[in-house]
Structure formats: C-alpha cells, structure tokens
Amino acid sequence: MSGVLPLFLFSLCLTVGSVQSQGSSQDAFIIQYLERRLTQMEERLTQCEQSTVSATQRTYDLSSEIRGYLSTLSVLRSEVKSQMDGMSVRVDRMERELEYLENKIPSQSEIEMEEALLEQQIKAAELDLLKRKAKIKVENDCSTSLSQIKSLKIVKKAGDTYGSWFKDPSEGSAKVYLLSGLRNDTVLEYVSLQSFTERTSSSPEKVVKLPFHWQGSGHVVYNGFLYYHKADTTNQILKVDLMNGTVVDSTFLPGAGRMPVYSLNPNTYLDMAVDELGLWVIHADAEYGGNLVITKLDIGTLAVESTWDTECKSHDAEGAFLICGTLYVVHNTRYGGRSTVQCLYDIHDTIHSSENPVMFFPKRYTSHSSIHYHPGDKQLYAWDDGYQTIYKVETRKNDQVIPE
C-alpha cells in the first residue's frame, strides 16, 4: 500500500499538469484571436476616420464651389438688370426718334419737287459733260473725215488665221510689228515694211518675249511701247517697253471686258486704237444694249481722259478704227462677205451716220480679225483671214469747225 500511494500521487500530478497545460494553450489561442480582432477593428476605425475626413473635405469643397456659383450668379443677375435698364432707355429713345421722323417725313408734293430738282441737276451735269467732251484739245489738224476706202494691197500671208499687225504710228518710226494668234506672248519686230515683205515670218529682226500673254487681237504699238489686253483678266491693259519686254504701266478699264467688243470677233474684248488725237480703247457695254463705247486714255500714264457712249452696235461688227476722234465701225456677216462701214460716231458731233452713205471695202469676200489706222500713212493695216493687208483711205475736210 505504501508503494501504491506514491504512484497514485505521481499519476495525479501528471494528470493535473496535463489539464493545466491544456488550459494554458486554449487561453493563449483565445488571447491571440482577441488581439487579431482588436487589430482589425483598429484598422477599420482608422479607415472610417479617413473616410470621414475625406467626406468632410469634399463637403467643404462643394460648399466653396456653390458659394462661387452663387457669387457669379449674383454678378450675372446684376449685369442682366443693368442691360435691361439700358435696353429700356434705348427703346424709349427709339420711340422718341420714330416720333420725330414721323413728324419730319415730307409730303408727296415735297417729294415730287425734290425729284424734279434732282432731274434738273442731272440734266445740267450731262450738259456740262457734253461741253467738256466737245472741248478736247486737238494738237494736229483733225477737221477731216473718211470719204472712201480706196484700194487694197495684200502684203503677204504669215502666222495664224487670226492675228494683228501694224506700224508704229509715232513720228519718225517705220517699224512693223506682227502678233500672231489670239493668245500668245511673242512679238515679231521688223525695221520697215519692206523688211517685213521680203523676210519670212520665222526670221524677223527682233523677237520680243512678253511677260504676260495677250488676249484677242486689239493691240497697238506707239513710240516703242506695246499696249494690249492681258490674258485671263477682264479689263486689264498693259503697257510694255519693247526694248526690254518689261511692263512699265497698267490700268483696269472700268465697265469694260464683260462681252466681246465685236460679235464677229468673239475672242477680242478690248480693242486698242491710235489716231491723230492719241490712244483709244473700244469696248462693248452689256448694260448699254451691247453698243460700243470709246475711251480716251493718256498715252503716257494710261489714265482715263474721257468716255463716250455711241449708238453703234457690236452686233455683226468685225472691227473698228478711229480717224480724228471719229469711230468707224466695220460690219460683215458671220459667213464672211464684203466688209462695210455702216455706223460712225464723231466725238465733236460734226458728222453723223445718217448723213454719210455706207462705205464698202474693196471687193474681197472674207473677214477681218483686226483693223488698225495709221494716222501718218492714212492707211488701214488689216489681218484678213491670215493675210496681212493694207487699205489706202481718202479723207475730206469737214464743213464745220471743231469747237475750241
């Protein structure tokens, strides 16, 4: 028995120790669990606190933005109110002005009187213009008019079907120029008519390249300068020095270039001419029923000096020329025929179409693409269906004296 007791006590101690050991392990597990939970709660509380701070900041920002909008709205409301007040003032002023205008509107009789006065002023201005036109100064003897187209001489055939040729009409010059085609930039120069006649068209004394193409066949040369209609423009005229082929001046002719100057030459819109009085431009005015208009240009500056509306039609016309300020219009048919001068216009009003018979060109049933008068030679230089032709003309003294 004495041996059994100690053994029992030893077993009991072991059992109690085991129970205590098991209880200690469970307590540690619980404590660890509780610590983890507490840590998680602390983290959640921290997140909640951060979210609260963020929401508070956003609320503050939103509040500040709303306060800004309210301030802007207040400013806009003040501006609108100010504009409405200003509008009200302007409406009141407009009503007063309308009232004033209603009281100032003239009666029908006053309007008729003003129209009559305006008509008188227009007539007076037109009369003054006619007087000024009649006083154009004539340096040379220009009391002559065309009486007959006397003879025909075919010089040669050179170039295209359409073109232009002429002599420089300035004093002391004998040079001849040929411009072939309706659009080109090459001018052939010959020292004289004899040189032109004897040489072939491919071997002139001088070939001048222009800086811009011409259009049509209405060009002229005077004192070594070529005057022509610049291609691809409605009404621009260029003045080119033929010594070096450079443009020295240009102008735009008001109201010109909207229709062909002659219905039988549909590619020419501006026809240049030279006579005893200087440089001219002939064109057709669509707003004037297609009638021809002649404009006197300053030969040095290209400034417009005067303009005359004529009664001559562009219909069935193939060309025109001027002698001493008188326009002679050459008519034909679209099939080609004998050319005639059927209409003329004298800027001095000393001769009229009704007082002059129709003048016939010498018998040659073709058509002209250009006709240029040379005041020194008293001849017409014409491009006749590809032939370079000269017509000798006769003139007579006018009965009336040109007014000074």
Side-chain angles (χ1 to χ4, degrees):
M1 287 292 292
S2 59
V4 173
L5 183 61
L7 181 61
F8 173 76
L9 290 174
F10 178 74
S11 298
L12 181 62
C13 288
L14 289 175
T15 302
V16 171
S18 175
V19 170
Q20 289 179 347
S21 176
Q22 289 178 0
S24 178
S25 298
Q26 290 178 354
D27 291 341
F29 176 77
I30 292 171
I31 290 171
Q32 289 177 356
Y33 172 76
L34 291 176
E35 288 178 352
R36 287 197 303 271
R37 295 291 293 174
L38 286 173
T39 301
Q40 291 176 354
M41 290 179 64
E42 287 177 355
E43 290 177 354
R44 291 180 180 176
L45 287 173
T46 301
Q47 292 177 357
C48 182
E49 184 179 0
Q50 292 175 350
S51 298
T52 303
V53 171
S54 177
T56 303
Q57 183 64 41
R58 285 199 299 271
T59 302
Y60 177 78
D61 293 342
L62 181 60
S63 176
S64 299
E65 191 174 352
I66 291 174
R67 285 196 300 272
Y69 286 150
L70 289 175
S71 176
T72 304
L73 183 61
S74 177
V75 172
L76 290 174
R77 183 172 56 189
S78 299
E79 291 179 354
V80 170
K81 185 176 182 302
S82 176
Q83 290 178 1
M84 291 299 295
D85 293 340
M87 182 68 72
S88 176
V89 171
R90 288 197 292 271
V91 169
D92 292 339
R93 185 184 302 138
M94 185 178 293
E95 288 178 350
R96 291 195 299 271
E97 290 177 351
L98 286 174
E99 243 179 70
Y100 174 79
L101 289 175
E102 286 176 357
N103 294 330
K104 288 294 182 179
I105 291 177
S107 62
Q108 184 64 30
S109 60
E110 291 175 343
I111 293 175
E112 291 175 353
M113 290 178 61
E114 291 179 358
E115 288 180 348
L117 179 61
L118 179 61
E119 186 176 351
Q120 290 177 0
Q121 292 174 344
I122 292 174
K123 288 181 178 179
E126 290 177 346
L127 182 60
D128 180 64
L129 179 62
L130 289 174
K131 289 179 179 179
R132 286 192 287 109
K133 287 178 178 179
K135 290 180 180 179
I136 185 170
K137 292 183 179 180
V138 181
E139 297 179 356
N140 303 318
D141 179 15
C142 246
S143 59
T144 59
S145 61
L146 179 66
S147 61
Q148 183 183 3
I149 303 169
K150 187 176 180 182
S151 60
L152 161 71
K153 178 183 178 181
I154 299 176
V155 179
K156 66 188 298 184
K157 188 180 192 308
D160 297 340
T161 304
Y162 304 97
S164 184
W165 82 295
F166 35 74
K167 285 178 65 176
D168 185 342
S170 57
E171 187 176 354
S173 176
K175 291 182 178 179
V176 173
Y177 297 90
L178 184 141
L179 293 86
S180 179
L182 298 170
R183 181 188 176 97
N184 207 331
D185 64 348
T186 303
V187 179
L188 306 184
E189 179 182 293
Y190 303 83
V191 295
S192 65
L193 181 60
Q194 181 180 354
S195 174
F196 172 74
T197 305
E198 294 174 350
R199 285 176 172 265
T200 64
S201 60
S202 60
S203 60
E205 277 83 6
K206 184 177 179 180
V207 177
V208 181
K209 275 289 184 180
L210 302 176
F212 303 98
H213 283 68
W214 71 69
Q215 177 173 337
S217 57
H219 341 289
V220 294
V221 169
Y222 187 85
N223 199 25
F225 294 96
L226 172 68
Y227 301 82
Y228 70 94
H229 180 193
K230 180 183 177 184
D232 302 319
T233 68
T234 302
N235 54 7
Q236 186 176 7
I237 298 171
L238 299 183
K239 178 182 178 181
V240 175
D241 187 346
L242 293 177
M243 288 291 292
N244 50 29
T246 60
V247 176
V248 297
D249 214 336
S250 70
T251 189
F252 292 89
L253 190 63
R258 292 175 292 181
M259 64 179 293
V261 59
Y262 313 114
S263 67
L264 299 183
N265 271 332
N267 296 289
T268 299
Y269 288 77
L270 302 177
D271 190 13
M272 315 293 293
V274 174
D275 72 348
E276 293 83 356
L277 302 183
L279 178 65
W280 301 83
V281 184
I282 310 166
H283 66 93
D285 191 342
E287 296 181 0
Y288 192 52
N291 284 13
L292 298 184
V293 177
I294 54 176
T295 300
K296 181 74 167 55
L297 296 183
D298 184 286
I299 207 158
T301 65
L302 297 183
V304 174
E305 295 182 354
S306 297
T307 297
W308 290 264
D309 297 328
T310 78
E311 296 179 354
C312 297
K313 306 290 185 182
S314 64
H315 182 67
D316 285 342
E318 64 177 5
F321 55 91
L322 284 106
I323 299 177
C324 284
T326 300
L327 174 72
Y328 297 89
V329 183
V330 181
H331 292 83
N332 208 321
T333 70
R334 62 190 182 93
Y335 304 105
R338 190 174 182 185
S339 301
T340 58
V341 175
Q342 299 181 20
C343 185
L344 60 86
Y345 179 85
D346 178 19
I347 64 170
H348 307 293
D349 199 29
T350 58
I351 54 177
H352 305 87
S353 292
S354 58
E355 300 170 0
N356 286 268
V358 173
M359 282 177 278
F360 290 86
F361 278 69
K363 290 184 178 181
R364 179 169 171 79
Y365 296 93
T366 54
S367 60
H368 301 98
S369 64
S370 64
I371 304 173
H372 293 285
Y373 172 68
H374 191 289
D377 296 351
K378 306 298 181 185
Q379 296 183 137
L380 300 176
Y381 289 78
W383 194 286
D384 184 357
D385 197 27
Y387 290 87
Q388 289 74 54
T389 306
I390 294 177
Y391 295 98
K392 189 74 175 179
V393 301
E394 286 186 352
T395 58
R396 65 170 181 268
K397 289 284 184 179
N398 293 333
D399 294 333
Q400 300 182 27
V401 179
I402 299 172
E404 296 292 337

